[in-house]
mmCIF file of all heavy atoms in Angstrom:
data_model
loop_
_atom_site.group_PDB
_atom_site.id
_atom_site.type_symbol
_atom_site.label_atom_id
_atom_site.label_comp_id
_atom_site.label_asym_id
_atom_site.label_seq_id
_atom_site.Cartn_x
_atom_site.Cartn_y
_atom_site.Cartn_z
ATOM 1 N N MET A 116 -4.448 14.108 -6.796
ATOM 2 C CA MET A 116 -3.171 13.436 -7.022
ATOM 3 C C MET A 116 -3.355 12.202 -7.901
ATOM 4 O O MET A 116 -4.181 11.353 -7.615
ATOM 5 C CB MET A 116 -2.538 13.033 -5.685
ATOM 6 C CG MET A 116 -1.118 12.483 -5.821
ATOM 7 S SD MET A 116 -0.389 12.058 -4.211
ATOM 8 C CE MET A 116 0.117 13.677 -3.657
ATOM 9 N N PRO A 117 -2.573 12.107 -8.989
ATOM 10 C CA PRO A 117 -2.587 10.899 -9.812
ATOM 11 C C PRO A 117 -1.659 9.845 -9.210
ATOM 12 O O PRO A 117 -1.021 10.087 -8.177
ATOM 13 C CB PRO A 117 -2.044 11.394 -11.155
ATOM 14 C CG PRO A 117 -1.069 12.467 -10.764
ATOM 15 C CD PRO A 117 -1.676 13.128 -9.552
ATOM 16 N N HIS A 118 -1.544 8.720 -9.859
ATOM 17 C CA HIS A 118 -0.648 7.654 -9.397
ATOM 18 C C HIS A 118 0.778 8.187 -9.269
ATOM 19 O O HIS A 118 1.307 8.796 -10.197
ATOM 20 C CB HIS A 118 -0.677 6.481 -10.391
ATOM 21 C CG HIS A 118 0.199 5.359 -9.965
ATOM 22 N ND1 HIS A 118 -0.133 4.502 -8.951
ATOM 23 C CD2 HIS A 118 1.428 4.980 -10.393
ATOM 24 C CE1 HIS A 118 0.833 3.631 -8.770
ATOM 25 N NE2 HIS A 118 1.794 3.899 -9.632
ATOM 26 N N GLY A 119 1.359 7.972 -8.113
ATOM 27 C CA GLY A 119 2.748 8.371 -7.899
ATOM 28 C C GLY A 119 2.952 9.814 -7.511
ATOM 29 O O GLY A 119 4.074 10.231 -7.259
ATOM 30 N N GLY A 120 1.902 10.603 -7.472
ATOM 31 C CA GLY A 120 2.039 12.003 -7.071
ATOM 32 C C GLY A 120 2.258 12.943 -8.231
ATOM 33 O O GLY A 120 2.052 12.601 -9.399
ATOM 34 N N PHE A 121 2.701 14.150 -7.909
ATOM 35 C CA PHE A 121 2.849 15.224 -8.901
ATOM 36 C C PHE A 121 4.293 15.451 -9.332
ATOM 37 O O PHE A 121 4.572 16.408 -10.027
ATOM 38 C CB PHE A 121 2.282 16.532 -8.351
ATOM 39 C CG PHE A 121 0.792 16.515 -8.162
ATOM 40 C CD1 PHE A 121 0.246 16.480 -6.898
ATOM 41 C CD2 PHE A 121 -0.060 16.521 -9.259
ATOM 42 C CE1 PHE A 121 -1.130 16.469 -6.719
ATOM 43 C CE2 PHE A 121 -1.433 16.508 -9.091
ATOM 44 C CZ PHE A 121 -1.971 16.483 -7.813
ATOM 45 N N GLY A 122 5.195 14.638 -8.890
ATOM 46 C CA GLY A 122 6.579 14.807 -9.314
ATOM 47 C C GLY A 122 7.505 15.271 -8.211
ATOM 48 O O GLY A 122 8.686 15.486 -8.453
ATOM 49 N N GLY A 123 6.977 15.482 -7.016
ATOM 50 C CA GLY A 123 7.842 15.750 -5.884
ATOM 51 C C GLY A 123 7.835 17.134 -5.296
ATOM 52 O O GLY A 123 8.241 17.312 -4.155
ATOM 53 N N ASP A 124 7.423 18.155 -6.033
ATOM 54 C CA ASP A 124 7.548 19.518 -5.523
ATOM 55 C C ASP A 124 6.225 20.201 -5.207
ATOM 56 O O ASP A 124 6.221 21.345 -4.766
ATOM 57 C CB ASP A 124 8.313 20.384 -6.525
ATOM 58 C CG ASP A 124 9.763 19.940 -6.666
ATOM 59 O OD1 ASP A 124 10.320 19.423 -5.684
ATOM 60 O OD2 ASP A 124 10.333 20.108 -7.765
ATOM 61 N N SER A 125 5.107 19.527 -5.433
ATOM 62 C CA SER A 125 3.813 20.160 -5.170
ATOM 63 C C SER A 125 3.544 20.182 -3.670
ATOM 64 O O SER A 125 4.119 19.396 -2.910
ATOM 65 C CB SER A 125 2.702 19.390 -5.876
ATOM 66 O OG SER A 125 2.462 18.164 -5.206
ATOM 67 N N PRO A 126 2.655 21.061 -3.217
ATOM 68 C CA PRO A 126 2.283 21.050 -1.790
ATOM 69 C C PRO A 126 1.752 19.685 -1.349
ATOM 70 O O PRO A 126 2.042 19.245 -0.229
ATOM 71 C CB PRO A 126 1.204 22.123 -1.700
ATOM 72 C CG PRO A 126 1.472 23.037 -2.848
ATOM 73 C CD PRO A 126 2.013 22.154 -3.940
ATOM 74 N N GLU A 127 1.010 19.009 -2.222
ATOM 75 C CA GLU A 127 0.483 17.687 -1.882
ATOM 76 C C GLU A 127 1.606 16.669 -1.720
ATOM 77 O O GLU A 127 1.580 15.853 -0.796
ATOM 78 C CB GLU A 127 -0.505 17.212 -2.952
ATOM 79 C CG GLU A 127 -1.770 18.029 -3.043
ATOM 80 C CD GLU A 127 -1.626 19.283 -3.903
ATOM 81 O OE1 GLU A 127 -0.525 19.555 -4.425
ATOM 82 O OE2 GLU A 127 -2.625 19.998 -4.044
ATOM 83 N N ASP A 128 2.584 16.686 -2.629
ATOM 84 C CA ASP A 128 3.732 15.775 -2.518
ATOM 85 C C ASP A 128 4.512 16.031 -1.224
ATOM 86 O O ASP A 128 4.913 15.086 -0.535
ATOM 87 C CB ASP A 128 4.678 15.929 -3.709
ATOM 88 C CG ASP A 128 4.149 15.322 -4.986
ATOM 89 O OD1 ASP A 128 3.440 14.298 -4.926
ATOM 90 O OD2 ASP A 128 4.449 15.875 -6.061
ATOM 91 N N LEU A 129 4.717 17.301 -0.912
ATOM 92 C CA LEU A 129 5.461 17.646 0.300
ATOM 93 C C LEU A 129 4.692 17.220 1.551
ATOM 94 O O LEU A 129 5.288 16.712 2.508
ATOM 95 C CB LEU A 129 5.762 19.148 0.323
ATOM 96 C CG LEU A 129 6.662 19.655 -0.816
ATOM 97 C CD1 LEU A 129 6.777 21.165 -0.778
ATOM 98 C CD2 LEU A 129 8.026 18.988 -0.783
ATOM 99 N N ASP A 130 3.380 17.404 1.519
ATOM 100 C CA ASP A 130 2.541 16.974 2.637
ATOM 101 C C ASP A 130 2.572 15.453 2.774
ATOM 102 O O ASP A 130 2.685 14.920 3.886
ATOM 103 C CB ASP A 130 1.110 17.479 2.433
ATOM 104 C CG ASP A 130 0.234 17.274 3.650
ATOM 105 O OD1 ASP A 130 0.750 17.241 4.789
ATOM 106 O OD2 ASP A 130 -0.992 17.148 3.468
ATOM 107 N N ALA A 131 2.480 14.750 1.658
ATOM 108 C CA ALA A 131 2.526 13.282 1.687
ATOM 109 C C ALA A 131 3.859 12.796 2.257
ATOM 110 O O ALA A 131 3.893 11.878 3.089
ATOM 111 C CB ALA A 131 2.308 12.715 0.281
ATOM 112 N N ALA A 132 4.937 13.408 1.830
ATOM 113 C CA ALA A 132 6.262 13.025 2.326
ATOM 114 C C ALA A 132 6.379 13.298 3.827
ATOM 115 O O ALA A 132 6.934 12.486 4.573
ATOM 116 C CB ALA A 132 7.353 13.760 1.558
ATOM 117 N N ALA A 133 5.837 14.425 4.288
ATOM 118 C CA ALA A 133 5.884 14.760 5.710
ATOM 119 C C ALA A 133 5.076 13.752 6.526
ATOM 120 O O ALA A 133 5.515 13.319 7.598
ATOM 121 C CB ALA A 133 5.366 16.180 5.942
ATOM 122 N N GLU A 134 3.912 13.375 6.033
ATOM 123 C CA GLU A 134 3.087 12.380 6.734
ATOM 124 C C GLU A 134 3.803 11.035 6.811
ATOM 125 O O GLU A 134 3.780 10.360 7.835
ATOM 126 C CB GLU A 134 1.733 12.213 6.044
ATOM 127 C CG GLU A 134 0.792 13.361 6.246
ATOM 128 C CD GLU A 134 0.258 13.465 7.664
ATOM 129 O OE1 GLU A 134 0.380 12.500 8.452
ATOM 130 O OE2 GLU A 134 -0.281 14.517 8.003
ATOM 131 N N GLN A 135 4.444 10.653 5.725
ATOM 132 C CA GLN A 135 5.166 9.376 5.699
ATOM 133 C C GLN A 135 6.346 9.411 6.667
ATOM 134 O O GLN A 135 6.583 8.442 7.398
ATOM 135 C CB GLN A 135 5.627 9.075 4.281
ATOM 136 C CG GLN A 135 6.230 7.703 4.118
ATOM 137 C CD GLN A 135 6.461 7.364 2.665
ATOM 138 O OE1 GLN A 135 5.581 7.530 1.828
ATOM 139 N NE2 GLN A 135 7.643 6.909 2.345
ATOM 140 N N ARG A 136 7.083 10.522 6.703
ATOM 141 C CA ARG A 136 8.202 10.661 7.647
ATOM 142 C C ARG A 136 7.711 10.578 9.086
ATOM 143 O O ARG A 136 8.317 9.916 9.936
ATOM 144 C CB ARG A 136 8.939 11.991 7.425
ATOM 145 C CG ARG A 136 10.013 11.941 6.379
ATOM 146 C CD ARG A 136 10.905 13.173 6.394
ATOM 147 N NE ARG A 136 10.178 14.436 6.334
ATOM 148 C CZ ARG A 136 9.703 14.989 5.218
ATOM 149 N NH1 ARG A 136 9.898 14.401 4.054
ATOM 150 N NH2 ARG A 136 9.065 16.132 5.250
ATOM 151 N N ARG A 137 6.589 11.247 9.383
ATOM 152 C CA ARG A 137 6.019 11.216 10.723
ATOM 153 C C ARG A 137 5.692 9.782 11.130
ATOM 154 O O ARG A 137 6.035 9.328 12.219
ATOM 155 C CB ARG A 137 4.754 12.084 10.784
ATOM 156 C CG ARG A 137 4.063 12.054 12.140
ATOM 157 C CD ARG A 137 2.595 12.476 12.058
ATOM 158 N NE ARG A 137 1.834 11.782 11.046
ATOM 159 C CZ ARG A 137 1.346 10.528 11.163
ATOM 160 N NH1 ARG A 137 1.579 9.824 12.248
ATOM 161 N NH2 ARG A 137 0.643 9.980 10.192
#
Side-chain angles (χ1 to χ4, degrees):
M116 187 179 280
H118 181 75
F121 293 109
D124 294 330
S125 73
E127 294 84 359
D128 286 327
L129 297 174
D130 189 28
E134 287 290 345
Q135 187 171 312
R136 274 192 308 279
R137 177 201 51 78

